[in-house]
Amino acid sequence: MTSATPGEAVPDSADLLVVGAGPAGAAAAAHAAARGSDVVLLDAAVFPRDKTCGDGLTPRAVTGLHRLGMSGLLDGRPRIRGLELNGWGARQRVDWPAADRFGAYGSAIARTELDDAIRRFALSRGARMVSGAKAVGAQLVGGRIESVTVVRDGERRQIRVRDVIVADGVRSALGKSLGRRWHRDTAYGVAARSYVDSGRSGDAWMGSHLELRDPDGALLPGYGWVFPLGDGTVNVGVGALATAGRPASMALRPVVEHYARMVAGDWQLTSAPQRIASALLPMGGAVSGVAGANWMLIGDAAACVNPLNGEGIDYAIETAALAVDMLESENDYSVAWPGLLRSEYGVAFAAARRAAGLLTVPQTVPLLGRPGIRSARLMSAVVRVMGNLLTPDDADLIARAWRGAGRIASTLEDRPPFS
């Protein structure tokens, strides 16, 4: 399969138009094309393209790729067994917890490669690709999208559609034109990543520092990471939590550079951070307007991102499959889709948003982190939460407590997830 080019013709119509060819959109296109739909996958970029991300894959994300049909993609990539947690002079290595639904290993792969691989997989299933074209608006008749306006090289075209899946990322330009609103009163994330040469590029652990400080030594409400990519490099990055009332105003580049110097010895870093890039992340379903009569937002566009670590690849692949299933089971998605998202993720997201909000209070981080990092049992629970490895089927004490916290948090909120 050759790489798509901007010269491909913009079609006049499609059964399903998928806007955004990241993991969510490409996975949705693959599922729908395999079921015989006429699918057009559209993106403003020309692939392969870079994407700001930590590049780590939890066992849940790895399982998602296997279920998609891409089990061979990670052959030869690092088999990551868990997190190496650091902070306040202590270190804990915690394996991913065993779970019936997920495997025992995570991995890591640069988004430049991952996104293009899933996109190519969708094309191999029969989807058509239109690159270098941006969806800028939609024409609605009776509440349904009749056509989508696409601009490429200054030329505007209309694509008539039966259904639309919106997967155009955290800013979601098309989603915004359809009424999507991001609610910043709840916790959101800011993050920056870089690539650094490392002697531990093939390591079996993801590095995570819960005590994140800026170059002046001030404690930040976030964490640092080092994810081994198996190609001689590691992804080194930092993420911080914020709310509208407590915005994250720090400059991220100096924090990344400082963090890389801090972990250089442990991770055998042999170069300065390269290709530093940052991103803003709506998280935990903190958006409204995620569906209409014949359209749905999925993945990052629907804020399906873990509020405690910024992880969203697993949710991207999962919501893609759920959305395509709904195409075949519902005639109107405006109520059914947000209801399904709340059912699948609402309680967990509510608990995580509340916890993330507490972590934006400066005194909370050392109060919880200093004793917590020394408890293997507590850190095991942290890894389950940070790895998105708690499921509705889990019945142990930690899972029940987390769901209970989520239900309580939901009752205290003015606006539930995916409202």
Side-chain angles (χ1 to χ4, degrees):
M1 184 66 63
T2 59
S3 182
T5 66
E8 296 164 328
V10 177
D12 294 325
S13 64
D15 290 343
L16 172 65
L17 175 65
V18 181
V19 177
H31 282 300
R35 299 184 187 192
S37 292
D38 172 30
V39 181
V40 170
L41 179 60
L42 180 143
D43 200 285
V46 177
F47 285 70
R49 59 95 176 94
D50 192 16
K51 196 74 172 178
T52 303
C53 184
D55 298 335
L57 300 176
T58 65
R60 184 168 181 165
V62 171
T63 297
L65 287 171
H66 288 177
R67 290 173 178 168
L68 181 61
M70 299 186 67
S71 57
L73 175 63
L74 300 176
D75 291 349
R77 305 282 176 180
R79 284 169 60 87
I80 296 175
R81 59 182 290 183
L83 295 184
E84 183 181 271
L85 299 161
N86 299 267
W88 293 279
R91 172 175 292 173
Q92 293 271 2
R93 280 187 167 181
V94 183
D95 288 303
W96 301 116
D100 291 339
R101 288 179 59 182
F102 313 120
Y105 290 92
S107 190
I109 177 174
R111 287 287 299 275
T112 305
E113 301 174 62
L114 175 68
D115 292 15
D116 196 42
I118 303 176
R119 181 193 68 87
R120 287 173 177 268
F121 181 71
L123 301 190
S124 74
R125 290 286 185 95
R128 294 182 285 162
M129 182 77 205
V130 177
S131 303
K134 184 175 183 179
V136 297
Q139 293 68 51
L140 282 76
V141 176
R144 303 180 71 86
I145 296 177
E146 187 174 73
S147 63
V148 172
T149 302
V150 174
V151 175
R152 185 167 67 182
D153 296 330
E155 181 181 352
R156 300 173 74 90
R157 294 285 303 273
Q158 307 292 325
I159 303 177
R160 297 189 309 276
V161 297
R162 185 181 68 195
D163 292 298
V164 178
I165 288 178
V166 181
D168 54 352
V170 293
R171 297 189 182 275
S172 191
L174 181 60
K176 186 175 181 180
S177 76
L178 292 167
R180 174 205 191 246
R181 184 184 172 199
W182 172 24
H183 303 287
R184 296 197 188 199
D185 52 330
T186 189
Y188 63 91
V190 293
R193 67 104 230 260
S194 67
Y195 293 99
V196 187
D197 296 337
S198 169
R200 286 181 60 187
S201 178
D203 212 85
W205 299 93
M206 290 180 175
S208 181
H209 285 72
L210 306 182
E211 183 186 3
L212 178 65
R213 296 184 180 272
D214 68 15
D216 296 324
L219 187 65
L220 301 175
Y223 79 108
W225 69 76
V226 185
F227 294 163
L229 293 170
D231 62 355
T233 68
V234 292
N235 184 308
V236 177
V238 297
L241 294 164
T243 65
R246 290 185 289 273
S249 56
M250 79 284 289
L252 291 175
R253 176 180 284 269
V255 178
V256 170
E257 292 172 338
H258 172 71
Y259 178 63
R261 290 191 295 270
M262 189 185 85
V263 301
D266 271 354
W267 281 90
Q268 303 170 27
L269 303 185
T270 58
S271 73
Q274 305 162 37
R275 295 165 55 198
I276 298 175
S278 60
L280 193 66
L281 285 175
M283 301 188 296
V287 294
S288 55
V290 297
N294 66 334
W295 52 270
M296 292 174 273
L297 271 62
I298 67 172
D300 287 357
C304 290
V305 177
N306 187 325
L308 292 176
N309 67 352
E311 161 64 19
I313 294 173
D314 45 11
Y315 295 128
I317 296 171
E318 289 175 11
T319 56
L322 292 170
V324 172
D325 285 344
M326 185 161 286
L327 293 176
E328 299 182 352
S329 63
E330 299 284 344
N331 293 319
D332 187 325
Y333 318 132
S334 55
V335 175
W337 182 242
L340 179 59
L341 291 177
R342 283 194 295 272
S343 173
E344 290 286 330
Y345 307 120
V347 168
F349 278 173
R353 286 200 313 276
R354 180 59 56 133
L358 290 173
L359 292 174
T360 64
V361 179
Q363 297 84 352
T364 304
V365 177
L367 181 66
L368 298 177
R370 197 182 303 274
I373 191 68
R374 290 168 170 80
S375 168
R377 180 173 295 182
L378 182 57
M379 287 300 99
S380 180
V382 167
V383 166
R384 288 180 73 188
V385 172
M386 291 184 70
N388 300 347
L389 300 177
L390 287 171
T391 76
D393 298 327
D394 293 333
D396 60 278
L397 180 60
I398 295 297
R400 294 200 307 272
W402 187 248
R403 287 196 294 269
R407 285 190 288 268
I408 292 170
S410 296
T411 64
L412 298 175
E413 293 180 330
D414 295 330
R415 185 187 305 105
F418 313 111
S419 55

